[in-house]
Amino acid sequence: MTTTGYDPAPAAGYPDAPPRMGFFTDTSVCIGCKACEVACKEWNAVPDDGFDLLGMSYDNTGGLSANTWRHVAFVEQAAPSAASLDVLREAAEGATQFLGMPSSTLPGETGREDRDLRWLMMSDVCKHCTHAGCLDVCPTGALFRTEFGTVVVQEDICNGCGYCIPACPYGVIDQRRDDGRAWKCTLCYDRIGDGLTPACAQACPTESIQYGELDELRARAASRLATLHERGVTEARLYGHDQNDGVGGDGAFFLLLDEPEVYGLPPDPVVPTRELPSMWKHAGVAAVTMAAAAVAAFLGWRR
Amino acid sequence: MTREQSVVPRAEFRSYYGRPVVKPPVWRHDIAAYLFTGGLAAGSALVAAGADLTGRPALRTTGRVTALAATLASTYFLVNDLGRPARSHHMLRVAKPTSPMSVGTWILATFGPAAGVAAVAEAAPWLPPRGMLGFATRALPPAGRAAGLTAAAVAPALATYTAVLLADTSTPSWHAARRRLPFVFAGSALASGGAAGLIGADPVQAAPARAMAVAGAALEIAAAHGVETRMGLLSEPYRQGRAGRLLRAARLLTVTGAVAAIAARRSRAASALAGLALLGGSLATRFGVFEAGKQSAEDPKYTVVPQRERLSRS
Amino acid sequence: MAEAHPVGFQWVMEAKRRGATVIHVDPRFTRTSALADEFVAIRAGSDIAFLGGIVNHILANELDFREYVLAYTNAATIVSEGFQDTEALDGLFSGYDPETGTYDPSTWQYEGHNGQTSHDTHVHRETAGGLRQESHGPPVPAETERDETLQHPRCVYQILKRHFSRYTPEVVERLCGVPPEQFAKVCDAWTRNSGRDRTTALVYSVGWTQHSVGVQYIRTGAIIQLLLGNMGRPGGGIMALRGHASIQGSTDIPTLFNLLPGYLPMPHHQRHETFDQWVDEIRHPGQKGFWAEARAYAVSLLKAYFGENATPDNDWGYGYLPRMTGDHGTYQQVLNMIDGKVKGYFLLGQNPAVGSAHGRAQRLGMANLDWLVVRDLYLIESATFWKDSPEVETGEIVPEECRTEVFFLPAASHVEKEGTFTQTQRMLQWREKAVDPPGDCRSELWFFYHLGRLVRERLRDSTLERDEAVRALAWDYPTRGPDDEPSAEAVLKEINGYDVATGAPLPGYTALKADGSTACGCWIYSGVFADGVNQAARRKPGREQSWVAPEWGWVWPANRRILYNRASADREGRPWSERKAYVWWDPDKGEWTGHDVPDMEKTKHPAYRPPPGASGAAALAGDDAFIMQGDGKGWLYVPSGLIDGPLPTHYEPVESPVRNPLYTQQANPTRKVYDRADNQLNPAPPEPHSEVFPYVFTTSRLTEHHTAGGMSRQLAYLSELQPEMFVEVSPDLAAERGLVHLGWAHVVTGRAAVEARVLVTSRLRPLRVEGRVIHQVWLPYHWGTNGLVTGDSANDLFGITLDPNVLIQETKVGTCDIRPGRRPTGRALLDYVADYRRRAGLDATHYPPLETP
């Protein structure tokens, strides 16, 4: 499979850009060990994110932030089988409430009728979008596109204007509170430049996080998806792989076992800049209207 | 979106423990305040230029001084909100059309000095006619006019680019409002500029300002109504919670101010009060829009549901 | 495994990728279950019933791998007439003595060999005799009577059939809470994936061992794997996942009271008065196998210890070795500390204040010493108990009055020193030193070497007899560097063994001599420095060698990667299938060959049968695959060596809300108990008041933390991943007890009450056991009072009851109550727990008898 169309590094002006590099995160083999979170912090000297028991299953990190560049999400899904239902019914007799963790019900087609418990685990990361909202709106040039097609913040330029934060359709980049600047995953720019593997991919014991040339990763992902579908895991799907989606496809894409929003991902992310020409147009018309109103106001009251 | 679509009940949706999908802006109230002071500066510059060209000196002075004061306040708010204020000049490293903030930086970089020169020119009458400063005494008025006209030329851009700034994000209720928000801000800027004129000049001189204010108020209310009702689920944050309260207050103040401006056109005091109401309304509008955006980012339903609907339509 | 061994688990994932089916059996749905193909929820403590059901399924449906069973197990061996099974004696085997709570195993012996064994089983229990016998096979005669048709009513096969016949799928459902459809699935999967062409691996961890019947758990698994022909075969076997790095090494070169290196037993003061008595007990004259050379191993070890001071005239210094006088196990020691009998204690990388059962006893024991030396990376709870333990809060320990003087010596971490790790697959891997330890931190090797050196200097002029042993030690290791760090390589060379005269390294244990010409620190490790090359340091990448990868590290013994691999070929020496070929007989060359080092003498023909009266290695036939067993066969039935029976039997855990439905005998009749007021256990049926503690609780680990938390709760990056002690309950139990998700709760037993935040989750499910709903509660045990994140310690909840064979504590199942809200503090806490004890009838006047009346 070859890249068709838009390739961000050459488009950003690199004359002899190397192949685009990225992540394929196969959540079907994630064991939720969080080695990726720790390895990333160790390499990048990212501060800890606070000691808070969030009770979101085993997720005490919460989400991607300025101090968490790899975040493992946990989703417990329970739909009791017939066998356990009557035990539960008996146990619940007399109880007034069914307390439980906030868990979603199983999607319709699981392909495994005998499984009544699922625990989804997924290592989330910056998507390094082909069309990156954060990069588009950065007014200082701190955010830039590297020769590998990744998106990196230069911490010596960022002045903490904060614009990238609401611009990201995935809610990734964030401002560090006591520091003022915006921080996010660099796809270990300081490692891949020397031919090393990013820290998270290096640490992942089950190769859930795979690093490599994006074309090759996409081929691998398609093949893995086919294998899972053959085995009856019909809820498996790829996310962020489609170059025709609202961000032009992600440099870091995923294989998920349920809908994206279950993991906290937007179902149909669109880079806000896509509508920018239309926005300028509307602003232009509004500006002209304003000018016209002012002119009319003064003309109408000429002495 | 038709009226029917805007009342379709929200579908069941799934999320990750109810956590936000996108991040709400980290901007503090400085930015909401800047939306107001920027619009006020723009509107005032237009009033000042119009007054200058139609021989209304009191109105001109009011406009120019207000424009400068609002610009200085704007600068303060923008720098103060930065995570690293000492690096605010880094904004000048690039000029990026894809970044409304970059575009705005250059708009302000043009408007600011122009408004500054125009305002300083108002000091010309108090300067000695001869000597070293005598040159300034003679040069300022024409320089002031040129500067004032420059500022006025840039003013509509200054007033409306901030709408693009907000809309060019993934904040659901801002992005959804991208077609209407420029008109809300344009109207609000007109209203606040006109209001400044009502406060600073006598009713006779301020007549065009009154017209501007009323026209602006009408534009603002009409556009805001569209934002609050015609965007389906994404209008909801503009009607609920703190944002809803602010926008309702804004409408009340703006309507009151506009009506009072017309009714009290002979009274200086009443006109001034009307102006204050209009200013208050404009301020509340900006804060309301700001809050609504944050609210829409904090609740994942505003991200997930419209995107799911979009997917099921395609 | 995904929780505690995430890196190793990648190989399970790789197997899954290649089409393997993964079945996970656990009281709760963990991260391992999430990736398994089948998750079986089981009541903690009922695994013998579960596995027994599978044994029954295999035998009742004749699904065993018959040729393998006949060739390599004792299925055909006939047992003596006097043997009576639990079926006949309502949960006991023949020979039980209620006075001592032990069995006389004479009736368990093979036919024709009654009375040939002399055991003081009570002594065996005190000295954890099972630990020694696991690897070198208790004494049995070489010649046995067999019925190859497996029809004789007293052959092992038939005994097995009768014994397990009551473990029906219905019983499995009643006892374990496993529905019959799911149980059938597991039986099918296991049996269909075993045989000539396929093998199934059984993997377990401390969730199986830390029970009062822990050894019998493993035994049941071994029975299944033997019946299905999975032992000694690639992709088969039983893998024990250990509790932390290099713990395999801690039994090989032991830190256990009852073992010397290479599983030689520590001498006992009565039974091994002389050197010859000691050696003969190890050798078992008349037995098959390589323990026949025990004299050579023993002498070489003593030469390593005492050098020139070990001579033929002084029995090689045997008199210098300490003697066991009874139970020197860690729990007995702690109770002795409480009773004032122990003066000093060294803790090295160990945190019993948090990590051992009955935390309160541990801390009260440590508070009653003259001195305590703690070596660790951080100030762990066992070093600071005197000022911040829960007993300070209750007033039981007063810092100003605590008599223990605590010395804390900072330790070097594993990257700051060199040496080997020995992991669960018996692999030694050498580690280089990467950085110097900071400040005063030092390695264990440095500490013991210099401690020994200083002690010996103090004793240099002593004439006291009791100081002779220390003065006789050979203690000359080379040191280097500014800290005079001893050379770990020199130690490894000594462990490998060398020729005393020339210093030349020995090639393996077959070169060891009993005449004092060889020295060897650990006979099973001999060969690790063969040819003067540090074999444990080899790191040839996997892609550059065969799939067995023999050139990565070094495995004992003799770099043999799968033990008992003779069983991977049939009686004639041909592989069971091409697909599963591992080692085989090459008739042209007249030798064993294959992918691994064959576990059989290289040139011994498969058809070799020993002459009558042969012993030692010569007594091993060409089809005796289990070369360390006295009869060369894998044991489905254990005639001697286990204290609690020749066959696994379902006994309830010592603390249980369930009356054993299978037998009158409720719990293990030979379990090790410490009946004292500070160690009363929660009542279990038929004792009254068991409803005071109606819930079953179990503990295990989280990936994010490490054992007692000393190495993880000091690190921000790990602490933030699991920042608080929590308890997991099912939604139904939460409703029953009014527990709120993320609220507080406290868990109460007869020993303590600990508090934790509540996690309500469907991963815990109520089970129907014996017709009623049983709730299980789960706690991680990583928390203590020190570190970036602190909390109560789960191990405070347990009392001390031990498996009789190896003296391991039952800390994977107990009973408890759970209530919402935080626990009381100070004296109110003591009163609160005391009130529970009172209601449960635990008044220190009555202790349940070992034999249930």
Side-chain angles (χ1 to χ4, degrees):
Chain A
M1 201 192 286
T2 55
T3 317
T4 52
Y6 186 80
D7 196 359
Y14 292 96
D16 289 303
R20 187 172 176 192
M21 307 302 283
F23 285 133
F24 166 46
T25 303
D26 179 359
T27 70
S28 72
V29 297
C30 175
I31 59 174
C33 71
K34 306 179 192 173
C36 51
E37 289 197 35
V38 176
C40 169
K41 292 211 181 192
E42 294 254 309
W43 178 259
N44 294 295
V46 177
D48 70 77
D49 227 341
F51 306 139
D52 325 292
L53 186 74
L54 298 179
M56 295 167 17
S57 186
Y58 279 4
D59 178 2
N60 294 306
T61 304
L64 292 172
S65 71
N67 290 347
T68 295
W69 301 356
R70 267 277 176 192
H71 158 246
V72 183
F74 291 82
V75 182
E76 300 183 21
Q77 298 178 331
S81 64
S84 46
L85 255 180
D86 51 341
V87 182
L88 288 176
R89 209 174 295 125
E90 189 182 326
E93 256 152 37
T96 51
Q97 301 175 265
F98 190 88
L99 297 170
M101 309 253 316
S103 66
S104 329
T105 53
L106 279 178
E109 245 295 287
T110 67
R112 289 209 62 103
E113 265 66 46
D114 53 341
R115 292 289 310 261
D116 57 354
L117 264 177
R118 274 206 324 175
W119 203 0
L120 304 178
M121 297 177 270
M122 173 241 191
S123 177
D124 195 11
V125 73
C126 169
K127 318 301 181 287
H128 294 275
C129 310
T130 302
H131 298 293
C134 61
L135 172 58
D136 284 343
V137 303
C138 175
T140 60
L143 277 152
F144 74 104
R145 178 81 60 181
T146 72
E147 65 270 34
F148 299 103
T150 58
V151 178
V152 171
V153 190
Q154 299 170 84
E155 67 239 34
D156 51 344
I157 299 194
C158 175
N159 63 8
C161 80
Y163 198 6
C164 51
I165 288 144
C168 173
Y170 298 98
V172 171
I173 193 167
D174 195 18
Q175 184 183 47
R176 194 171 281 175
R177 289 289 156 264
D178 48 356
D179 175 274
R181 296 172 285 184
W183 298 86
K184 73 170 189 71
C185 160
T186 63
L187 222 142
C188 278
Y189 191 34
D190 51 349
R191 286 176 68 95
I192 66 178
D194 276 336
L196 296 174
T197 304
C200 55
Q202 183 74 37
C204 177
T206 58
E207 290 180 9
S208 174
I209 300 175
Q210 299 172 36
Y211 163 76
E213 292 181 25
L214 198 57
D215 280 345
E216 209 256 299
L217 292 177
R218 287 195 180 122
R220 238 190 261 170
S223 157
R224 172 68 179 159
L225 187 71
T227 305
L228 285 174
H229 285 170
E230 266 168 58
R231 290 195 189 159
V233 187
T234 50
E235 68 273 24
R237 73 203 68 195
L238 295 179
Y239 176 79
H241 64 298
D242 183 3
Q243 292 161 271
N244 297 318
D245 71 16
V247 298
D250 292 330
F253 68 102
F254 301 82
L255 187 149
L256 303 176
L257 295 176
D258 203 336
E259 291 178 326
E261 55 264 42
V262 169
Y263 298 88
L265 298 166
D268 184 27
V270 175
V271 60
T273 333
R274 194 175 73 174
E275 278 101 25
L276 193 55
S278 151
M279 290 187 230
W280 283 130
K281 225 173 27 158
H282 282 80
V285 173
V288 165
T289 308
M290 183 180 179
V295 166
F298 279 88
L299 284 180
W301 260 264
R302 250 201 308 210
R303 272 204 267 209
Chain B
M1 203 178 285
T2 65
R3 186 134 261 183
E4 283 77 26
Q5 281 173 306
S6 70
V7 299
V8 164
R10 171 169 43 87
E12 273 305 311
F13 76 103
R14 304 159 85 196
S15 73
Y16 186 68
Y17 303 100
R19 286 181 68 98
V21 175
V22 295
K23 293 233 182 324
V26 296
W27 296 324
R28 297 187 295 268
H29 293 143
D30 298 89
I31 297 301
Y34 162 69
L35 296 177
F36 168 70
T37 58
L40 176 59
S44 308
L46 282 173
V47 165
D52 187 28
L53 292 174
T54 59
R56 289 175 160 83
L59 190 60
R60 184 199 72 228
T61 307
T62 301
R64 283 185 178 180
V65 168
T66 308
L68 176 62
T71 304
L72 290 172
S74 298
T75 308
Y76 165 75
F77 287 131
L78 289 175
V79 172
N80 192 47
D81 192 77
L82 289 176
R84 288 286 176 106
R87 293 184 181 180
S88 50
H89 59 286
H90 285 194
M91 299 292 202
L92 302 170
R93 290 177 81 249
V94 301
K96 254 165 90 165
T98 62
S99 170
M101 193 180 281
S102 179
V103 170
T105 299
W106 294 105
I107 291 174
L108 265 173
T110 312
F111 180 91
V117 170
V120 165
E122 291 298 312
W126 286 285
L127 293 176
R130 276 182 289 278
M132 280 221 343
L133 287 173
F135 170 73
T137 314
R138 285 188 300 282
L140 273 177
R145 165 164 287 192
L149 289 173
T150 306
V154 177
L158 175 64
T160 55
Y161 95 90
T162 45
V164 179
L165 180 83
L166 295 188
D168 191 16
T169 61
S170 299
T171 304
S173 287
W174 285 348
H175 192 73
R178 59 190 177 278
R179 284 183 276 271
R180 294 184 170 85
L181 220 49
F183 295 93
V184 176
F185 283 15
S188 191
L190 282 170
S192 21
L198 286 176
I199 295 170
D202 59 276
V204 173
Q205 275 205 51
R210 181 175 304 116
M212 250 181 72
V214 172
L219 180 60
E220 183 184 339
I221 288 171
H225 181 73
V227 169
E228 289 166 28
T229 58
R230 300 177 78 92
M231 303 192 315
L233 179 67
L234 293 170
S235 284
E236 200 177 83
Y238 292 100
R239 298 194 306 268
Q240 287 183 349
R242 206 180 137 112
R245 287 193 294 277
L246 283 164
L247 287 171
R248 283 189 292 277
R251 185 161 50 246
L252 182 63
L253 286 165
T254 304
V255 167
T256 307
V259 165
I262 298 171
R265 58 186 171 275
R266 275 179 247 288
S267 156
R268 175 70 195 271
S271 293
L273 282 173
L276 278 173
L278 285 167
L279 284 176
S282 178
L283 183 66
T285 296
R286 309 311 188 121
F287 271 80
V289 168
F290 188 72
E291 283 300 314
K294 283 170 61 176
Q295 279 168 214
S296 75
E298 279 153 10
D299 190 331
K301 81 177 179 202
Y302 297 116
T303 305
V304 175
V305 174
Q307 289 188 14
R308 270 281 150 223
E309 282 173 4
R310 187 166 63 217
L311 281 176
S312 62
R313 278 199 302 268
S314 61
Chain C
M1 186 177 180
E3 296 278 350
H5 301 261
V7 179
F9 194 73
Q10 68 179 292
W11 302 116
V12 176
M13 296 306 295
E14 177 67 19
K16 206 178 160 194
R17 198 181 63 79
R18 299 187 191 192
T21 301
V22 178
I23 298 175
H24 185 229
V25 181
D26 201 283
R28 103 191 203 281
F29 190 98
T30 68
R31 282 175 269 205
T32 305
S33 326
L35 276 303
D37 296 294
E38 186 77 30
F39 164 66
V40 180
I42 194 173
R43 175 170 68 100
S46 64
D47 298 65
I48 290 179
F50 180 76
L51 293 170
I54 298 176
V55 173
N56 186 32
H57 176 86
I58 294 169
L59 294 174
N61 296 294
E62 306 229 329
L63 294 171
D64 55 284
F65 186 174
R66 189 52 60 89
E67 297 116 304
Y68 180 105
V69 166
L70 280 173
Y72 301 130
T73 74
N74 67 351
T77 310
I78 298 175
V79 172
S80 82
E81 224 177 321
F83 170 68
Q84 284 180 293
D85 189 18
T86 51
E87 303 306 294
L89 300 178
D90 203 7
L92 296 175
F93 295 97
S94 47
Y96 185 70
D97 175 10
E99 296 290 310
T100 58
T102 60
Y103 287 102
D104 172 1
S106 358
T107 57
W108 304 350
Q109 302 312 304
Y110 292 151
E111 171 83 358
H113 297 283
N114 284 5
Q116 276 201 6
T117 60
S118 59
H119 289 292
D120 186 344
T121 331
H122 176 67
V123 172
H124 269 243
R125 182 171 55 200
E126 296 299 286
T127 63
L131 198 57
R132 177 174 78 251
Q133 308 200 358
E134 75 177 88
S135 64
H136 78 58
V140 280
E143 307 289 321
T144 60
E145 272 188 51
R146 290 167 61 92
D147 170 20
E148 305 290 330
T149 68
L150 301 184
Q151 294 307 308
H152 191 293
R154 279 187 283 114
C155 76
V156 164
Y157 189 86
Q158 293 297 333
I159 290 177
L160 219 66
K161 249 184 129 156
R162 283 195 298 276
H163 178 86
F164 285 104
S165 63
R166 67 167 64 191
Y167 294 86
T168 61
E170 290 68 43
V171 160
V172 170
E173 184 180 21
R174 268 174 72 196
L175 259 181
C176 313
V178 178
E181 313 78 47
Q182 189 176 44
F183 179 66
K185 262 181 113 176
V186 175
C187 290
D188 278 341
W190 203 334
T191 52
R192 261 187 290 110
N193 198 61
S194 306
R196 280 181 180 265
D197 284 308
R198 304 199 68 85
T199 53
T200 299
L202 181 61
V203 178
Y204 74 89
S205 189
V206 292
W208 256 18
T209 56
Q210 292 181 357
H211 291 271
S212 52
V213 286
V215 170
Q216 296 291 0
Y217 268 45
I218 317 307
R219 284 282 316 136
T220 330
I223 290 172
I224 295 174
Q225 292 293 71
L226 282 170
L227 285 175
L228 295 179
N230 282 320
M231 297 304 292
R233 301 188 59 204
I238 299 183
M239 168 155 271
L241 298 175
R242 309 294 300 255
H244 56 81
S246 206
I247 198 171
Q248 177 65 40
S250 85
T251 46
D252 297 342
I253 313 254
T255 56
L256 300 175
F257 75 92
N258 59 343
L259 290 179
L260 290 171
Y263 298 94
L264 298 171
M266 190 72 77
H268 186 267
H269 76 111
Q270 266 173 345
R271 309 197 20 235
H272 309 130
E273 278 188 50
T274 70
F275 178 65
D276 287 330
Q277 280 176 307
W278 181 53
V279 170
D280 277 346
E281 177 150 323
I282 311 169
R283 282 182 62 220
H284 312 144
Q287 310 297 309
K288 297 189 183 191
F290 287 89
W291 278 108
E293 304 305 316
R295 192 176 205 93
Y297 312 150
V299 172
S300 302
L301 176 65
L302 291 171
K303 285 298 286 183
Y305 279 165
F306 301 112
E308 295 166 346
N309 295 318
T311 67
D313 303 322
N314 68 358
D315 269 339
W316 310 106
Y318 176 72
Y320 295 142
L321 288 180
R323 303 286 193 268
M324 291 195 292
T325 58
D327 176 4
H328 304 277
T330 179
Y331 289 102
Q332 181 64 64
Q333 295 307 314
V334 169
L335 297 173
N336 287 346
M337 287 178 202
I338 293 176
D339 296 341
K341 297 184 195 165
V342 177
K343 304 303 175 191
Y345 198 16
F346 283 91
L347 285 178
L348 307 139
Q350 182 88 2
N351 194 6
V354 174
S356 291
H358 206 333
R360 189 159 160 275
Q362 303 287 335
R363 296 183 293 263
L364 289 176
M366 290 193 288
N368 199 29
L369 299 165
D370 286 357
W371 53 265
L372 168 68
V373 175
V374 179
R375 278 184 43 86
D376 212 295
L377 303 175
Y378 291 103
L379 282 171
I380 53 174
E381 288 79 0
S382 298
T384 61
F385 68 92
W386 54 273
K387 59 179 174 131
D388 58 23
S389 64
E391 287 67 39
V392 171
E393 204 182 87
T394 59
E396 295 170 279
I397 295 177
V398 179
E400 294 80 6
E401 295 167 22
C402 175
R403 53 181 286 248
T404 306
E405 187 174 3
V406 181
F407 298 86
F408 181 81
L409 301 178
S413 79
H414 67 97
V415 298
E416 296 163 351
K417 55 194 180 186
E418 58 175 16
T420 57
F421 274 52
T422 305
Q423 311 289 41
T424 189
Q425 71 271 45
R426 294 168 285 107
M427 182 186 288
L428 280 75
Q429 294 176 90
W430 178 264
R431 305 286 190 96
E432 303 288 354
K433 179 177 169 183
V435 290
D436 285 325
D440 288 336
C441 298
R442 297 285 183 273
S443 67
E444 255 64 50
L445 192 56
W446 181 95
F447 174 72
F448 277 112
Y449 171 72
H450 289 287
L451 181 67
R453 180 181 61 76
L454 291 168
V455 167
R456 281 157 54 80
E457 270 171 38
R458 294 255 179 130
L459 299 178
R460 187 177 37 224
D461 299 319
S462 166
T463 52
L464 297 173
E465 197 180 330
R466 70 160 191 242
D467 295 333
E468 271 180 42
V470 174
R471 294 175 60 234
L473 283 170
W475 206 251
D476 48 352
Y477 298 95
T479 63
R480 53 178 183 239
D483 296 332
D484 292 323
E485 180 79 22
S487 161
E489 220 176 50
V491 176
L492 190 62
K493 283 181 185 165
E494 181 182 68
I495 287 173
N496 175 78
Y498 55 92
D499 181 281
V500 171
T502 64
L506 299 175
Y509 63 82
T510 51
L512 293 177
K513 303 271 187 295
D515 61 5
S517 61
T518 58
C520 175
C522 179
W523 70 277
I524 54 177
Y525 279 22
S526 187
V528 70
F529 230 105
D531 306 320
V533 171
N534 186 341
Q535 309 282 338
R538 296 183 302 170
R539 290 291 186 276
K540 191 176 211 174
R543 60 182 171 274
E544 290 173 28
Q545 46 177 326
S546 77
W547 57 276
V548 171
E551 289 180 76
W552 180 286
W554 186 86
V555 171
W556 70 262
N559 205 28
R560 185 175 296 125
R561 304 274 157 154
I562 294 184
L563 286 179
Y564 310 128
N565 56 36
R566 167 70 181 89
S568 66
D570 64 18
R571 259 194 159 128
E572 289 71 41
R574 294 178 307 236
W576 293 110
S577 64
E578 267 318 296
R579 194 170 174 274
K580 288 287 175 177
Y582 196 66
V583 302
W584 55 87
W585 175 255
D586 182 337
D588 301 320
K589 292 213 190 116
E591 64 180 25
W592 288 95
T593 184
H595 299 299
D596 192 1
V597 176
D599 204 352
M600 176 57 63
E601 289 162 273
K602 196 134 175 85
T603 53
K604 181 168 276 184
H605 196 282
Y608 170 83
R609 297 293 177 267
S615 72
L620 285 169
D623 64 349
D624 280 338
F626 289 87
I627 62 169
M628 298 307 282
Q629 297 300 99
D631 57 357
K633 300 299 177 205
W635 283 2
L636 296 168
Y637 167 100
V638 178
S640 70
L642 289 182
I643 290 169
D644 45 6
L647 291 169
T649 305
H650 172 73
Y651 297 117
E652 284 291 316
V654 175
E655 292 188 354
S656 169
V658 175
R659 180 78 179 91
N660 191 344
L662 296 183
Y663 312 104
T664 302
Q665 181 60 32
Q666 170 74 5
N668 187 340
T670 62
R671 64 192 183 274
K672 174 78 184 177
V673 296
Y674 298 96
D675 285 338
R676 26 187 301 155
D678 52 12
N679 191 40
Q680 287 209 280
L681 303 172
N682 297 351
E687 298 277 312
H689 309 305
S690 68
E691 71 284 349
V692 172
F693 300 109
Y695 308 121
V696 172
F697 81 100
T698 186
T699 63
S700 67
R701 305 177 190 218
L702 295 164
T703 309
E704 295 86 343
H705 281 294
H706 186 256
T707 61
M711 280 173 71
S712 58
R713 282 184 293 105
Q714 308 282 353
L715 300 175
Y717 290 159
L718 292 177
S719 297
E720 64 170 331
L721 299 176
Q722 291 285 10
E724 283 204 54
M725 173 63 175
F726 62 96
V727 56
E728 290 190 350
V729 295
S730 69
D732 313 89
L733 178 56
E736 184 172 301
R737 273 288 189 256
L739 307 173
V740 175
H741 182 63
L742 288 186
W744 282 98
H746 55 277
V747 180
V748 192
T749 66
R751 272 76 50 195
V754 304
E755 62 184 16
R757 302 286 295 278
V758 176
L759 237 65
V760 179
T761 169
S762 300
R763 290 179 292 104
L764 271 179
R765 216 162 247 176
L767 299 170
R768 188 184 287 117
V769 172
E770 279 295 274
R772 57 185 233 258
V773 171
I774 295 285
H775 289 291
Q776 299 193 101
V777 166
W778 176 87
L779 295 142
Y781 69 92
H782 304 294
W783 270 271
T785 49
N786 295 0
L788 295 175
V789 293
T790 61
D792 279 356
S793 306
N795 281 326
D796 286 7
L797 295 170
F798 291 106
I800 302 169
T801 306
L802 313 180
D803 172 291
N805 296 296
V806 295
L807 299 185
I808 194 161
Q809 69 277 3
E810 180 156 85
T811 42
K812 286 302 171 181
V813 60
T815 54
C816 70
D817 190 11
I818 183 169
R819 296 276 166 182
R822 304 190 72 154
R823 59 163 170 81
T825 57
R827 288 227 68 91
L829 175 61
L830 293 177
D831 296 334
Y832 186 71
V833 178
D835 183 64
Y836 266 90
R837 276 204 288 268
R838 189 187 47 74
R839 286 191 285 119
L842 303 180
D843 57 3
T845 60
H846 166 76
Y847 298 92
L850 288 179
E851 182 187 5
T852 312

